[in-house]
Amino acid sequence: MCGIIGYIGDQPANEVIFDGLTRLEYRGYDSAGIAVLDGGRIVLAKDVGKLRHLREILVTNFPSRASPGIGHTRWATHGRPSSFNAHPHGDCRGTLMVAHNGIIENYMKLKRALTAAGHVFQSETDTEVLAHLIESHYQGDLEAAVLKALADVEGAYALVVLHRDHPDQLVCVRKESPLIVGLGRGEQFIASDVTAIMQHTRQVVYLENGEGAVVRRDGVTFFDLAGRHLAKTPTTLDWNPVAAEKGGFPHFMLKEIYEQPQVIRNTIGGRTSEEEGKIYLTELGLSGPDIFRTQRIVMVGCGTAFYAGCVGKYLIEQLVRVPVECDLASEFRYRQPLVDGNTLVVAISQSGETADTLAAVREARARGAKVLGIVNAKESSLTREVDGLVYIHAGPEIGVASTKAYIGMLTAQVLLALLLGKIRGVLDTAFVQQTIRDLKVLPQLIERLLADTSGIRALAEKFKDARNFLYLGRGINFPTAMEGALKLKEISYIHAEAYAAGEMKHGPIALIDKDLPVMAIAANQGAYDKLVSNLKEVQARSGTVIAVASERNEEIRHVTEYVIPIPDCPDILSPILSVIPLQLFAYYVADLRGLDVDQPRNLAKSVTVE
Ligand code: AGP
């Protein structure tokens, strides 16, 4: 997903922008560029490649002291990765530059009209249409020209504009794709998200859909697409800049795996009373009648968030006794879902900006359902479109492969299930008190696991050249198998398939041979005996099994070649513990294969386009 930075102030704009772009690298990109105003002329440098290879053209050989400027990291949608398709893009006469994140859906129609009017295009991108459109409307007032141009545009955009005749300002507008303004003293920042600028300022304004800003050194004015001026209240960031650094770890992903015990503490912090056996979710936004009226629950999300919702299904059905469905947000939004005022839709998202999940939320609300968001990124779009919230306090997650946010999502769902189960009279106080105690022990159990990962690394060394993997789980750990398989796929590029272990004999067992390693999650006692039978089936066909199992379980060693021991915990919490070895296994395999763990190929941290 593209990254945008704008800067106006007394620092060298290209250096501030380059640094900001490096903090957005986790979003995934294939090219980058910077444009600045230097004494009335626009200086532009851009090319394909990673920023570490572009430092020479973007910093070393770049006019210093120039300002304002804009920068962009591009994740190609329209037009292949190339220097001419990289942003920023200019108009015919080189009077202005734009950088954009999103998709201009009617760009071909606009491009034909502009070409007919004599405009000459340099790229294959939809974005360049914006530059020529603004040029065609420009009559001295940049804000007005931008607004007139956007009146013709259909689609999603986070847009920042630099103009040769306006060295005192940058103009930016947001529709769907997130954009924020960072407020400094004598300097201002524009960015796709806070991680890019929080080392400069903690005061930010989140632009809503259809809002824009004229950003000047001494201040910012806000407007809507009708040109009406708006009053916006800054938010003070509570994420510290250090949190967005690697902190001595080789990769953000490993750092975030090691942050997981604290994520659990942060997510349950202030929300449980062991003494009373009560859960407090102050932003839940659901009344008692809402909760009693709920006849079914639908979990929606994408990728890891979807798998977290699949764990939530088991949790809520066991603890609340209400039917729960899990739906991929990208499917839910188009299947005319049968939801109504008696349905609670739970939308799960780390970024709160995933286009499919946002669309699913709008579809659910349009059909009368109450929607609850389980979200990490504060003030993100999703948080503004739901009836209630359960924040996961995971802090900024930089690694593209989600780890600590997943643990936060699971922890939040345990709290939600306890609360709903207690309110609906399904759970007694003693059970809630005991589960709170068990939850509070989890961080130490994870810390014990993380204290020595050499065994997992040794297994990664042994299996790093596998071409395929089968992940098996049963019951509440079937989703754990799905999440574990996704981790391996997305960062090591090894094909991995997850299956409910009981389903193996209905087909996939034909795949089993000595070249297909099997990772089995055997930590939940409730399904253990059946799973052991499935593993014997695998062994009988020369399959190689690695089992994630209780450290006290000796029997498992007779049916598997390798065991990753984990501490015991109640079944309903076992997905939180069981996934840790799978995260580490995927991490070590990818690292041993020399791959880019934090920014896997083709992936973006948050997919804000369809
Ligand atoms: C998970 O490792 C992936 N990065 C991806 O599947 C991600 O979970 C998915 O895109 C949803 O993102 P969200 O949680 O920000 O909505």
Side-chain angles (χ1 to χ4, degrees):
M1 185 185 59
C2 305
I4 288 176
I5 301 282
Y7 174 73
I8 187 166
D10 294 332
Q11 299 185 63
N14 68 309
E15 291 178 20
V16 172
I17 291 166
F18 186 86
D19 175 65
L21 291 177
T22 60
R23 297 167 191 273
L24 294 178
E25 284 191 291
Y26 70 90
R27 299 160 69 89
Y29 70 103
D30 43 56
S31 56
I34 294 178
V36 298
L37 258 184
D38 182 24
R41 69 187 180 92
I42 289 179
V43 177
L44 169 70
K46 60 182 184 178
D47 206 346
V48 179
K50 294 297 185 186
L51 288 168
R52 58 182 176 273
H53 303 128
L54 299 175
R55 175 176 287 277
E56 185 148 348
I57 66 164
L58 298 178
V59 180
T60 314
N61 301 333
F62 208 92
S64 64
R65 315 310 306 166
S67 179
I70 62 175
H72 187 270
T73 46
R74 178 175 184 251
W75 188 62
T77 52
H78 293 70
R80 60 191 181 284
S82 66
S83 57
F84 56 85
N85 283 334
H87 300 207
H89 288 288
D91 63 342
C92 299
R93 294 172 295 127
T95 64
L96 65 93
M97 284 283 162
V98 303
H100 161 242
N101 179 19
I103 289 180
I104 307 302
E105 292 177 359
N106 62 336
Y107 86 98
M108 286 307 293
K109 177 185 157 208
L110 295 170
K111 188 167 182 174
R112 283 194 295 272
L114 287 161
T115 304
H119 288 264
V120 178
F121 284 80
Q122 308 295 325
S123 79
E124 302 160 329
T125 67
D126 54 337
T127 300
E128 190 185 352
V129 164
L130 296 173
H132 294 279
L133 212 45
I134 295 166
E135 177 188 23
S136 67
H137 287 289
Y138 182 73
Q139 294 177 339
D141 180 329
L142 185 57
E143 176 189 342
V146 170
L147 287 172
K148 285 177 186 156
L150 294 177
D152 300 334
V153 167
E154 295 165 19
Y157 46 81
L159 170 67
V160 59
V161 185
L162 170 72
H163 198 290
R164 186 183 61 187
D165 299 347
H166 299 272
D168 66 327
Q169 65 184 256
L170 294 172
V171 175
C172 62
V173 190
R174 180 246 166 127
K175 180 171 177 277
E176 306 299 342
S177 299
L179 199 63
I180 63 161
V181 177
L183 308 177
R185 288 195 180 85
E187 61 181 4
Q188 314 298 337
F189 308 83
I190 299 167
S192 298
D193 75 37
V194 294
T195 50
I197 59 163
M198 61 184 171
Q199 74 282 15
H200 296 293
T201 177
R202 298 272 188 94
Q203 294 295 312
V204 299
V205 171
Y206 292 84
L207 293 179
E208 306 264 4
N209 275 343
E211 294 185 347
V214 179
V215 178
R216 296 181 175 86
R217 273 176 175 69
D218 54 1
V220 183
T221 54
F222 298 94
F223 56 83
D224 65 16
L225 290 180
R228 289 182 294 254
H229 278 228
L230 302 170
K232 297 287 287 179
T233 306
T235 299
T236 301
L237 293 176
D238 61 5
W239 284 355
N240 63 52
V242 174
E245 300 296 339
K246 288 184 190 168
F249 284 88
H251 298 100
F252 280 111
M253 182 179 176
L254 192 61
K255 172 181 173 251
E256 289 154 6
I257 288 173
Y258 274 78
E259 286 176 342
Q260 294 181 125
Q262 194 52 44
V263 168
I264 295 174
R265 294 187 183 102
N266 295 346
T267 302
I268 60 180
R271 292 171 156 174
T272 65
S273 164
E274 193 179 327
E275 185 186 352
E276 299 170 294
K278 282 188 174 178
I279 303 297
Y280 297 95
L281 297 176
T282 51
E283 298 145 312
L284 192 65
L286 300 175
S287 65
D290 289 333
I291 292 171
F292 282 105
R293 186 169 45 245
T294 300
Q295 292 173 3
R296 57 197 268 273
I297 294 174
V298 180
M299 320 296 283
V300 295
C302 302
T304 288
F306 170 70
Y307 299 137
C310 293
V311 172
K313 168 185 170 66
Y314 287 90
L315 285 170
I316 292 172
E317 289 193 340
Q318 286 181 37
L319 302 185
V320 190
R321 306 308 294 159
V322 166
V324 180
E325 284 171 49
C326 305
D327 214 330
L328 289 166
S330 54
E331 290 295 312
F332 179 88
R333 64 182 292 192
Y334 291 118
R335 67 176 175 85
Q336 298 173 32
L338 296 171
V339 297
D340 58 21
N342 298 323
T343 311
L344 173 64
V345 171
V346 179
I348 305 177
S349 176
Q350 186 285 127
S351 64
E353 300 297 349
T354 300
D356 285 324
T357 310
L358 284 167
V361 165
R362 292 163 191 156
E363 182 68 26
R365 298 197 74 188
R367 294 172 179 270
K370 282 283 185 188
V371 181
L372 181 66
I374 296 180
V375 184
N376 188 35
K378 292 174 179 55
E379 304 276 345
S380 56
S381 300
L382 189 60
T383 64
R384 296 183 177 80
E385 304 201 28
V386 294
D387 297 296
L389 269 171
V390 181
Y391 271 121
I392 61 173
H393 299 299
E397 185 176 68
I398 309 300
V400 166
S402 185
T403 51
K404 63 175 183 174
Y406 179 71
I407 293 298
M409 293 167 186
L410 299 188
T411 305
Q413 290 180 102
V414 173
L415 297 175
L416 177 64
L418 290 173
L419 177 70
L420 297 180
K422 189 81 184 305
I423 290 173
R424 290 174 68 103
V426 177
L427 300 178
D428 63 24
T429 300
F431 179 88
V432 176
Q433 287 171 321
Q434 181 56 53
T435 307
I436 291 171
R437 279 192 290 274
D438 294 332
L439 260 178
K440 286 181 176 176
V441 168
L442 272 185
Q444 296 104 294
L445 300 181
I446 295 176
E447 281 161 352
R448 242 176 66 200
L449 254 178
L450 295 175
D452 178 7
T453 63
S454 57
I456 298 170
R457 191 177 192 288
L459 284 172
E461 180 72 53
K462 187 171 184 57
F463 290 99
K464 68 183 182 351
D465 299 318
R467 295 180 57 75
N468 295 287
F469 244 97
L470 187 60
Y471 279 63
L472 299 179
R474 287 189 82 119
I476 199 167
N477 277 310
F478 170 34
T480 307
M482 293 193 279
E483 169 58 13
L486 175 64
K487 288 283 109 27
L488 190 68
K489 276 184 282 212
E490 66 178 334
I491 63 174
S492 74
Y493 315 148
I494 294 175
H495 174 250
E497 189 166 4
Y499 247 87
E503 187 60 14
M504 251 247 301
K505 53 189 171 297
H506 300 287
I509 199 163
L511 295 171
I512 301 297
D513 62 21
K514 63 180 177 47
D515 298 324
L516 180 70
V518 175
M519 178 76 78
I521 296 85
N524 45 319
Q525 294 315 307
Y528 176 75
D529 294 340
K530 298 293 182 199
L531 184 86
V532 167
S533 307
N534 302 139
L535 298 184
K536 285 175 179 170
E537 292 158 13
V538 171
Q539 261 209 332
R541 290 157 180 82
S542 313
T544 303
V545 179
I546 306 169
V548 175
S550 161
E551 59 195 5
R552 292 187 302 106
N553 182 341
E554 287 305 320
E555 181 213 17
I556 194 81
R557 297 179 188 281
H558 303 308
V559 289
T560 62
E561 282 70 21
Y562 306 98
V563 176
I564 303 175
I566 63 171
D568 280 339
C569 72
D571 275 4
I572 59 167
L573 302 181
S574 62
I576 296 175
L577 267 185
S578 303
V579 78
I580 308 289
L582 308 184
Q583 296 169 341
L584 288 164
F585 180 75
Y587 168 78
Y588 286 127
V589 168
D591 191 38
L592 288 164
R593 288 165 66 99
L595 299 172
D596 191 339
V597 171
D598 284 332
Q599 299 161 35
R601 67 186 181 195
N602 308 337
L603 285 182
K605 180 59 184 171
S606 169
V607 184
T608 60
V609 294
E610 276 202 50

